Structures are given as C-alpha cells and as structure tokens.
C-alpha cells in the first residue's frame, strides 16, 4: 500500500515536471516568435552576424546601433562589454542584447593544462570543475559564450591542434565533452556565472590529411558515425548550446555548407535546437575550396545547409537581404536561423540580465581556482619511466640541478590558446621548486638552452660543471607553446633545437637524470627515455604547472595520469592508434628487426605481416599507459553472466590491489573487442574507466555496468546495432595489459 502511494506520487511528480518543462518551452518559443515578428530582414541578418571586437570599436558601435550585429567576439573588459550592450539594448530599434564570445579553451585567467593534458587525468568530474572555474572567471569579464570544448578525435600528432583535443579515443572524448559542457553551462544557463558551450569542430577536422591544418578529410560515413560524430551527439544530449562547423571539407563537402551534416544529422536525428556557428571566415572560405562561386553563393549555401551564425566573414549581413528579395533563399530559412540565435540569448537570460556586474571580478585567481588548476595539472602528469625508483626524490638528494628550456618558461607552459592567461601568474618549475622545496635541497639552475628551438650549445660546459656538483638532475625539455595549436603543424615531431644533445651530455654524467617534458603533443622521445632514469610527461600544464610538478618530484603527490594518445616511435609511424581495425595479416610480434635481416634474403623469408621493417608494429607507449610510484595488481576478472541478450546490462568486476609502497590513484580501464561483425571491427575499444585511490596493500573490487547497447556500431546496412556474437573483455592499467574474459550476446 505504502509502496503504491510512493509510486503514485512519483508518477504525479514526473507529470508535473514534464508539463512544467513543456510550459517553459512554449513560453520560450512564444517569446522568440514575438521578438522575430517585429524584426526587419536586415535586423534578422544582423542577428546572424558575429564580428571581432578587438581594436577600435567605434565602427562596431554604429553597426550595433543599426541592429546589424548579433554577437561580438573577444571583448573581455566588462566596462566595454556593458557599453556595447547598452547600445544594443537601448539604442538599437529591436533592443536585442548581444552575446559576447571568447575562446575559453583551457581556463580563462587561471590557466588549466591544455585539453590533451586534461584528458590524461581520465577524471571527468575534475575536468568539469575546471570548466566551471573557467566559466566563473570568463563571465566575470563579460564572456557568455565559449568556443569550447574542442572534441575533434585526433590521431595525428603532426596536427598542431591535437593540443586542444582530448586525444584519439571516442569514449574518452565523449566523457570530457560532457564534463566541459556541464562545467561551462552549470545547472542553469541563465545563471550569471554560466556560459554557453560550443562543441567544435563539426566534423572530422582532426583527420586532416598529413596532419596539415585546414586540409581535406576523407572519412567514410561509417567511420564518421562510429568515431567522429559520437562525442558531438553526447555533447548535444548534455544540452550543449552550440556547435561550430569545421574548416575542412570531408569527401568533397566543406562542413559549413554540408546540409546532411547540419540538417539531417544534427537537427533531425539529434533534435539539436541550439546555434550552429561557422568557424572564422569559413563561410567565404568555401569560395577558396571551390565549393561556392562568390560571397553571395557562399552565404546561400551556408544558410541553406543549416548554418545560423556567420563568424567574421560578413557574407550573411552583406547578402541575405538580396537573396531573400530575389526569392533565392526563403524567409523561413532565415527565420529558423534567427530563432536559434534568439533561443540562445533567451536561455542565457540576456534579455532579463544583459549586463556584467563590474564589481564582481572577485573569483578570478581565487585560491580555490588556483587549487583546482594545480589538482588538474597534478593529475595530468604521466609517469613514463621510473627506473630503480628514481622518483620521488629521496631524502638523500641534497642538491639538484634544474636545467632545460622549459624549466622557467612562463609563457610556454601555458600552452596554446592562452588568450587571457597572464605570464606573471605562471608558477614555473624553478620558481615553485625554490619556493616549495628550497629549504630541503640546494637548487642549482642553469637553463642551458634559452628556448626549445635553441641550437646554441655555448652554455653546455656550464651545465656540465653544475651537473657534477648536484646529486640529481631535473631537465625540463619539450616544445614552446607556439609549436602547437592552430596552423602550427610539424612534419617531424622530434625534439627541436639542441635538446636531445642536452639530454645526451646530462646522461653522460651518471647522475640520476629526471626528464620532464612539456609539450602540446606526443613527441618522439625514444632516445631521451632510454637515457633518462625517470621521465614525466607534463604537457603544457598551465598556471600552476610548476607547483604540481614540484609536489610530484618530491613525492607529496603520486602521479597517475594516463596517455590519451598513442606515442609513436617515429613520425613515420603516424597514424598509429590503439583502436584500429585489424588487417588479414596482423603483426605477430615475431618479426625480425632490421639488423637481423640476412643479406641477400629471399623476398618471403620475413613472413607477411603488417609492420615496419625499421620500427616494428608497436608504438613507444600505448594509449592508456602511465606508471605510478606504487604498483597495482589486477585479478579475479569476472562477469555476472557468460551469455546475454541485447537488452541486458553486463556487470563486470575486477580486483585491483596496491602492491607498492605509496598511496596512489589508478585508472582502471575497460576494453571490449567485438570479435566478429558484419563489417570489420576495431581490435578493441575503451568502454569504461574508473579512477580509484588505494593505500599500500589495500584492494578494491571495481565494478563496471555495461549496458549492451553501448556495443552498437554502424553495421553493413548502415544501422547502429549490437550484433550477436562473441566479445572479449580486458581490464587493465593500459590498453595492452590486464586479465581477459569472454562473453556472448545471443
Ligand atoms: C578556430 C576556432 C576558434 C575561432 C575563433 C578559428 O580560427 O579554428 O577554433 O574558435 O578561430 O577564435
């Protein structure tokens, strides 16, 4: 009886919530319609026009007054934001507020690690906190719409924008996408501290040919749907307010003019009702692509494909009136785009609360924000090697030499897309080590090389002299911020300048050598890894990177980051990623290395498998790899059933034990292999992960609940289905190890 009452109450509550949401929606749509009904065609086109606000704003003011701008980018002084907003609200005929945007990619003032580093945390809850503080700081400065998260699957480290991505894996990227959307937008988009998110770049931009930015992609539909689209779909499900089209053309169609993508998939299949914004100038770049004849044609193609807002090209504002007057574009098409823009402005609460509170710049750089930035930096660091427990530094180490171009590079450690970060705030390793551990060890510091491309070795003698005085050497190498990011691609991802030589001479001293690498991408580091006793990969770790690293080096924090991308042994091994499909002749692991190939060997003596004679088939480090100061043992992998039907959820458990000396975190990773399908399947796919903390000798049962629909893929009939058959599960510390078991789907 009691149970019945509760169920009844829950039912009534759900009806109430549903009808409340419906009422709210109807009210919103009515507001949009009534605003729209009072607008001229030019004013409507104005809402779709997004312009840069850097430099002189006098001309901008005129356009705002005329109602010819809907959104302004890159104004971050709240006083200026309010001045422009006041013109829009009080002096333009429609009074529609502007929405101010910025690329808040990894923090606003308090810089977080670059997104690739954030992905290495495998800790979405923490990344959500990071996005939240970015939103709080950005909104304090008037920014209400961020062009992030960037969720392009990136499998080519030559591409500079891999730094902005969450790496090569679809599932990990999905989790990070949801985290950032939730962090930016909060529970309520109209909260003054919330900011609209923008999932970008739609679609396939990370797969540009040869890793050269802006290039074409050739992603077939199945791969597009299995690998590249899902993070966007998850972002949309998480109520992401906007989507940005990408620069590339896929299979001949530039994203900004791709109707199937923007209308059929995004609007019809996914029910997206937010804003689709172009990338910078990508409307008129369709002319250079050879896809549009001229600016007018570009505007027509874009708006008809389903683009709502034209970022910076001005093609919409210059052409839409004429396109409508001549009946080339229908007014309904224009209205739909304007509706989407107005919907965003209503949802952001801009009609009620258009101004930024200028007395409220209080939380930027707060202790809490700095602590979160430090925590993310700590968790992003990946321990790649730790021979004979070189790390953490023992109490016997009384003096250290700090060396290398990234040891005190406040600008570079902030990484790419650092529009608002301030170098004066950067905690570099030298600064942090001195401040935090200067009383425990004597710190010698010689940079050796001024910057990562520096080839000048004149200081190497001084470096050596100091190295001989020290008990241990910590070398901070890597790449400058400018070497990754947009348009910053490399044909060879080796270490630049004389950095490799620096590591060589340091290893020659026979002192414990700890190499810390700060970079925007995986670099080719085979030799440096083998010459070093310990290696930490720290990406570009942001404002608090130095403090995070200092605590890791001295063991106050145990590193637990995992690689979100496969590390190749040479640039020529790219593309190399863990979840590839198999060939009919996979590598066996028994292939002969180049040096062992007999002279005058006959063609067939080497066998016939898929590998490189000079590099083999394996990467330097696999996806998901990362050590700890402690060690973990996996055992007792079990599933609750061996045979399941499609509607079931599989329960999987594994025991993880801390078998080492330190308390530490471990990312327990679940991989599933679909052993047979109507089309070839990836050799394995990450389907879950859990970050746990264990004290020495502690063990935990880790349980994954895997709904079988998560195993669906786009099959031979281009339907997303789970196909019956045998599956293999592996749970481990990375993508290549751990116990396995099997199950079957009937
Ligand atoms: C980038 C976008 C960015 C936009 C606005 C473009 O060049 O591709 O990711 O959001 O500029 O700054």
């Amino acid at each position: 009886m009691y149970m019945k009452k509760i169920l009844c109450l829950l039912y009534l509550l759900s009806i109430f919530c549903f009808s409340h949401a419906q009422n709210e929606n109807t009210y919103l749509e009515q507001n949009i319609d009534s605003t729209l009904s009072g607008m001229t065609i030019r004013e409507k086109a104005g809402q779709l026009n997004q312009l840069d606000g850097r430099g002189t704003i006098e001309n901008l003011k005129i356009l705002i007054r005329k109602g010819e701008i809907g959104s302004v980018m890159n104004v971050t002084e709240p006083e200026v934001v309010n001045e422009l907003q006041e013109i829009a609200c009080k002096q333009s005929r429609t009074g529609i507020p502007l929405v101010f945007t910025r690329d808040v990619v990894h923090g606003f003032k308090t810089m977080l690690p670059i997104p690739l580093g954030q992905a290495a945390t495998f800790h979405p809850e923490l990344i959500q906190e990071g996005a939240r503080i970015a939103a709080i700081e950005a909104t304090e400065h008037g920014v209400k719409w961020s062009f992030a998260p960037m969720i392009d699957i990136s499998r080519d480290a030559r591409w500079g924008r891999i730094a902005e991505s969450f790496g090569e894996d679809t599932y990990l990227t999905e989790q990070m996408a949801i985290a950032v959307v939730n962090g930016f937008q909060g529970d309520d988009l109209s909260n003054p501290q919330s900011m609209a998110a923008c999932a970008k770049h739609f679609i396939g931009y990370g797969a540009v040919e040869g890793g050269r930015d802006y290039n074409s992609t050739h992603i077939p539909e199945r791969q597009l749907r299995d690998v590249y689209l899902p993070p966007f779909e998850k972002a949309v499900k998480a109520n992401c307010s906007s989507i940005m089209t990408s620069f590339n053309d896929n299979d001949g169609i530039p994203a900004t003019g791709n109707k199937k993508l923007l209308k059929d998939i995004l609007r019809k299949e996914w029910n997206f009702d937010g804003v689709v914004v172009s990338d910078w100038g990508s409307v008129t770049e369709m002319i250079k692509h050879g896809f549009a004849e001229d600016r007018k044609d570009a505007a027509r193609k874009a708006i008809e494909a389903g683009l709502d807002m034209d970022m910076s090209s001005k093609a919409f504002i210059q052409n839409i009136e004429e396109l409508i007057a001549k009946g080339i574009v229908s007014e309904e098409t224009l209205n739909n785009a304007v509706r989407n823009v107005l919907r965003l402005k209503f949802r952001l609460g801009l009609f009620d609360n258009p101004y930024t509170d200028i007395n409220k710049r209080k939380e930027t750089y707060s202790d809490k924000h700095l602590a979160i930035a430090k925590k993310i930096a700590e968790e992003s660091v990946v321990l790649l090697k730790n021979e004979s427990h070189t790390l953490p530094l023992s109490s016997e180490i009384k003096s250290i030499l700090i060396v290398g171009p990234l040891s005190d590079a406040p600008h570079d450690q902030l990484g790419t897309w650092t529009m608002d970060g301030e170098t004066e705030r950067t905690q570099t390793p030298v600064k942090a080590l001195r401040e935090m551990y200067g009383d425990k060890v004597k710190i010698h510091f010689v940079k050796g090389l001024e910057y990562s491309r520096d080839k000048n070795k004149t200081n190497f003698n001084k470096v050596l002299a100091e190295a001989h005085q020290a008990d241990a050497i910590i070398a901070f190498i890597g790449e400058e911020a400018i070497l990754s990011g947009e348009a910053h691609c490399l044909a060879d991802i080796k270490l630049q300048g004389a950095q490799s030589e620096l590591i060589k001479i340091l290893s020659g001293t026979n002192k414990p050598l700890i190499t810390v690498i700060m970079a925007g991408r995986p670099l080719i580091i085979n030799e440096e890894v083998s010459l070093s006793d310990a290696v930490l990969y720290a990406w570009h770790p942001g404002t608090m990177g130095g403090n995070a690293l200092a605590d890791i080096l001295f063991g106050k924090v145990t590193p637990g980051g995992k690689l979100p991308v496969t590390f190749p042994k040479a640039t020529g091994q790219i593309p190399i990623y863990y979840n590839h499909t198999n060939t009919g002749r996979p590598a066996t692991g028994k292939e002969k290395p180049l040096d062992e190939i007999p002279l005058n060997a006959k063609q067939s003596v080497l066998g016939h498998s898929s590998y490189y004679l000079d590099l083999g088939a394996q990467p330097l480090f696999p996806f998901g790899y990362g050590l700890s100061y402690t060690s973990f043992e996996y055992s007792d992998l079990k599933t609750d059933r061996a045979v399941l039907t499609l509607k079931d959820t599989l329960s999987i458990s594994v025991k993880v034990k801390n078998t080492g000396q330190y308390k530490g975190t471990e990312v327990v990773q679940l991989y599933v292999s679909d052993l047979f399908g109507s089309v070839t399947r990836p050799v394995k796919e990450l389907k879950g992960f859990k970050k746990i903390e264990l004290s020495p000798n502690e063990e935990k049962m880790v349980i994954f609940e895997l709904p079988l629909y998560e195993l669906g893929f786009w099959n031979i009939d281009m339907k997303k289905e789970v196909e019956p058959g045998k599956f293999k599960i592996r749970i481990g510390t990375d993508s290549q190890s751990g116990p396995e078991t099997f199950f079957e789907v009937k």
Side-chain angles (χ1 to χ4, degrees):
M1 193 60 201
Y2 181 65
M3 198 58 201
K4 248 189 184 167
K5 268 190 187 161
I6 292 188
L7 285 175
C8 201
L9 271 176
L10 282 176
Y11 178 68
L12 289 175
L13 190 71
S14 71
I15 291 189
F16 171 77
C17 291
F18 179 70
S19 62
H20 180 71
Q22 243 186 355
N23 284 345
E24 240 180 40
N25 246 347
T26 319
Y27 182 64
L28 170 69
E29 295 307 317
Q30 281 167 353
N31 272 337
I32 294 170
D33 283 339
S34 86
T35 312
L36 193 68
S37 65
M39 294 169 76
T40 64
I41 301 283
R42 187 144 191 93
E43 284 162 349
K44 288 179 186 175
Q47 283 306 305
L48 312 186
N49 187 25
Q50 182 175 67
L51 292 183
D52 193 15
R54 281 173 291 199
T56 162
I57 53 167
E58 289 319 305
N59 191 37
L60 217 56
K61 288 183 187 168
I62 300 171
L63 298 175
I64 296 170
R65 215 167 271 126
K66 290 202 281 182
E68 293 183 1
I69 299 185
S71 169
V72 176
M73 296 179 279
N74 301 319
V75 178
T76 51
E77 287 158 59
E79 293 79 3
V80 184
V81 166
N82 285 349
E83 189 189 347
L84 297 178
Q85 191 67 293
E86 198 169 335
I87 299 175
C89 294
K90 298 195 178 145
Q91 298 176 26
S92 79
R93 206 187 63 85
T94 60
I96 300 173
L98 297 161
V99 52
F100 290 86
T101 79
R102 186 74 157 169
D103 288 273
V104 186
V105 175
H106 54 109
F108 184 72
K109 292 273 182 198
T110 304
M111 295 310 298
L112 311 172
I114 54 168
L116 194 58
Q118 293 188 34
T121 66
F122 277 68
H123 196 165
E125 297 80 5
L126 181 62
I127 298 317
Q128 181 167 332
E129 283 186 54
R132 191 70 206 144
I133 66 164
I136 290 170
E137 296 194 357
T139 52
E140 283 188 356
H141 291 78
V143 176
K144 287 298 284 176
W145 182 8
S146 167
F147 296 138
M150 192 273 226
I151 50 177
D152 297 315
I153 299 300
S154 307
R155 294 171 165 180
D156 190 334
R158 292 172 296 182
W159 189 49
R161 299 196 83 166
I162 192 172
E164 288 175 59
S165 81
F166 295 114
E168 75 189 28
D169 182 62
T170 301
Y171 180 79
L172 178 60
T173 301
E174 285 172 357
Q175 304 312 308
M176 293 297 165
I178 297 167
V180 175
V181 170
N182 287 339
F184 280 171
Q185 302 195 160
D187 299 332
D188 175 8
L189 203 54
S190 69
N191 177 334
Q193 291 191 317
S194 291
M195 167 168 87
C198 181
K200 69 187 189 185
H201 306 83
F202 201 55
I203 190 73
Y205 185 34
V208 286
E209 261 187 333
R212 287 186 300 276
D213 212 355
Y214 312 128
N215 250 275
S216 298
T217 59
H218 303 279
I219 308 170
E221 182 164 358
R222 179 169 295 108
Q223 197 184 25
L224 200 68
R225 288 188 176 270
D226 277 337
V227 176
Y228 293 88
L229 285 169
F232 287 88
E233 189 176 4
K234 288 276 157 60
V236 167
K237 279 216 176 96
N239 292 323
C240 182
S241 298
S242 66
I243 301 278
M244 185 188 293
T245 60
S246 56
F247 287 124
N248 57 298
D249 64 312
N250 186 49
D251 193 22
I253 308 175
T256 306
N258 190 334
K259 199 178 272 177
K260 175 163 183 186
L261 193 60
L262 306 184
K263 282 203 167 146
D264 298 348
I265 297 179
L266 189 56
R267 301 280 179 200
K268 288 194 196 129
E269 288 182 33
W270 300 351
N271 288 321
F272 178 65
D273 69 357
V275 173
V276 179
V277 61
S278 77
D279 203 341
W280 187 285
S282 71
V283 172
T284 45
E285 282 177 17
M286 291 198 290
I287 305 168
K288 285 221 172 102
H289 272 290
F291 186 76
E293 207 176 343
D294 51 25
R295 294 173 64 82
K296 196 174 298 155
D297 191 34
R300 174 183 75 81
K301 285 219 160 96
I303 198 159
E304 287 197 328
L307 189 87
D308 301 320
M309 192 169 257
D310 170 12
M311 185 196 291
S312 99
S313 94
K314 301 189 189 134
F316 276 15
I317 190 70
Q318 289 166 357
N319 295 290
I320 279 181
E321 267 179 311
E322 187 188 332
L323 287 168
I324 300 241
K326 289 192 172 151
I328 299 171
V329 169
S330 74
E331 192 164 350
E332 196 42 35
T333 300
L334 173 64
N335 285 350
N336 283 339
V338 180
R339 273 196 192 98
N340 294 332
V341 172
L342 294 177
R343 192 174 295 117
L344 174 66
K345 292 183 176 183
F346 275 112
R347 282 183 174 154
L348 280 167
L350 290 170
F351 283 87
D352 295 328
N353 191 8
Y355 302 108
T356 302
D357 186 345
I358 52 169
N359 299 315
K360 244 192 140 189
R361 256 173 286 180
K362 302 227 169 66
E363 291 187 57
T364 296
Y365 290 128
S366 70
D367 289 347
K368 181 181 166 199
H369 290 194
L370 294 174
I372 290 173
K374 175 168 182 266
K375 179 95 177 110
I376 300 177
E378 285 168 8
E379 293 198 21
S380 73
V381 174
V382 185
L383 179 64
L384 295 177
K385 178 179 181 183
N386 195 17
E387 211 151 83
S388 323
H389 296 285
T390 306
L391 285 176
L393 293 168
S394 80
S395 53
E396 274 149 41
I397 304 283
K398 300 287 182 222
S399 69
I400 54 176
L401 167 65
I402 301 175
V403 60
L406 272 296
S407 55
D408 196 24
H411 170 77
D412 292 320
Q413 81 175 52
L414 297 185
T416 184
W417 279 116
T418 304
M419 298 183 98
D420 302 284
E422 291 155 318
T423 50
E424 316 82 74
R425 288 282 186 158
T426 310
Q427 300 296 314
T428 66
V430 170
K431 194 167 166 224
L433 282 163
R434 277 186 176 143
E435 274 170 17
M436 298 162 71
Y437 293 94
D439 57 342
K440 293 202 169 57
V441 286
K442 189 159 185 287
I443 293 176
H444 308 253
F445 171 46
V446 193
K447 218 169 175 188
L449 294 167
E450 281 310 301
Y451 56 101
S452 71
R453 286 164 296 153
D454 191 359
K455 294 184 182 133
N456 181 353
K457 295 185 269 185
T458 24
N459 275 329
F460 279 19
N461 281 338
K462 198 161 165 223
V463 168
L464 278 180
E466 292 287 348
H468 287 295
Q469 303 293 311
D471 297 333
I473 305 163
I474 313 178
F476 293 87
I477 58 170
E479 57 180 6
E480 293 147 74
I482 192 72
L483 298 185
S484 64
E486 185 175 348
H488 301 158
C489 306
L490 292 170
D492 189 350
I493 55 169
K494 63 179 187 213
L495 280 160
Q496 300 292 329
Q499 297 187 92
S500 294
E501 280 127 295
L502 178 65
I503 296 298
K504 243 177 244 157
I505 62 154
L506 291 172
S507 87
T509 63
N510 288 327
K511 300 276 177 159
L513 172 59
I514 296 129
T515 299
V516 182
I517 300 163
M518 291 189 190
R521 56 160 67 79
L523 292 170
I524 302 305
I525 47 169
N526 314 3
E527 218 181 324
E528 292 68 29
V529 171
S530 68
L531 292 176
S532 308
D533 299 283
V535 179
L536 290 164
Y537 215 84
W539 319 101
H540 284 138
T543 304
M544 297 299 284
N547 303 43
L549 283 163
D551 276 345
I552 286 175
L553 290 163
F554 280 89
K556 190 163 172 214
V557 169
T558 298
K562 301 281 183 175
L563 297 179
V565 273
T566 303
F567 270 45
K569 284 182 191 156
T571 308
Q573 233 181 355
I574 295 172
I576 185 165
Y577 51 94
Y578 84 96
N579 47 357
H580 57 91
T581 48
N582 231 337
T583 79
R585 296 182 174 188
T588 60
K590 293 189 187 123
E591 287 83 5
K592 272 197 197 327
L594 196 63
D595 299 339
E596 289 173 25
I597 300 175
L599 286 180
N600 303 319
K602 286 265 189 280
Q603 182 66 29
S604 59
V605 299
L606 302 177
H608 299 89
S609 60
S610 178
Y611 78 109
Y612 287 118
L613 293 179
D614 50 351
L615 289 174
Q618 291 302 318
L620 181 63
F621 296 112
F623 175 84
Y625 176 85
L627 305 170
S628 170
Y629 293 159
T630 193
S631 51
F632 299 99
E633 195 182 272
Y634 285 71
S635 64
D636 293 1
L637 172 61
K638 283 192 192 101
T639 56
D640 64 340
R641 272 167 295 177
V643 181
L644 295 97
T645 64
L646 293 174
K647 280 181 251 119
D648 291 337
T649 290
L650 180 65
S651 185
I652 311 153
S653 61
V654 70
K655 200 192 277 172
V656 186
K657 183 173 182 186
N658 182 339
T659 50
Q661 311 288 314
Y662 298 85
K663 187 175 182 177
T665 58
E666 169 71 329
V667 179
V668 182
Q669 302 166 39
L670 164 69
Y671 294 91
V672 180
S673 312
D674 185 351
L675 298 178
F676 166 74
S678 61
V679 293
T680 57
R681 305 286 298 121
V683 291
K684 61 190 107 166
E685 291 173 291
L686 183 69
K687 289 290 175 188
F689 56 83
K690 293 221 156 118
K691 196 160 189 171
I692 57 166
E693 189 173 53
L694 292 175
S695 298
N697 276 322
E698 193 186 342
E699 58 184 29
K700 257 187 201 156
M701 227 26 180
V702 179
I703 295 169
F704 289 92
E705 298 292 337
L706 181 68
L708 284 202
Y709 63 76
E710 294 282 353
L711 304 178
F713 64 97
W714 290 79
N715 68 10
I716 192 88
D717 302 318
M718 279 313 279
K719 287 199 184 111
K720 189 167 182 184
E721 275 174 9
V722 184
E723 291 184 342
K726 254 192 151 189
F727 292 79
K728 182 167 89 177
I729 292 178
R730 173 181 273 173
I731 297 190
T733 188
D734 59 44
S735 60
Q736 286 192 348
S737 58
E740 300 175 355
T741 186
F742 294 84
F743 69 94
E744 199 176 341
V745 176
K746 286 271 189 216

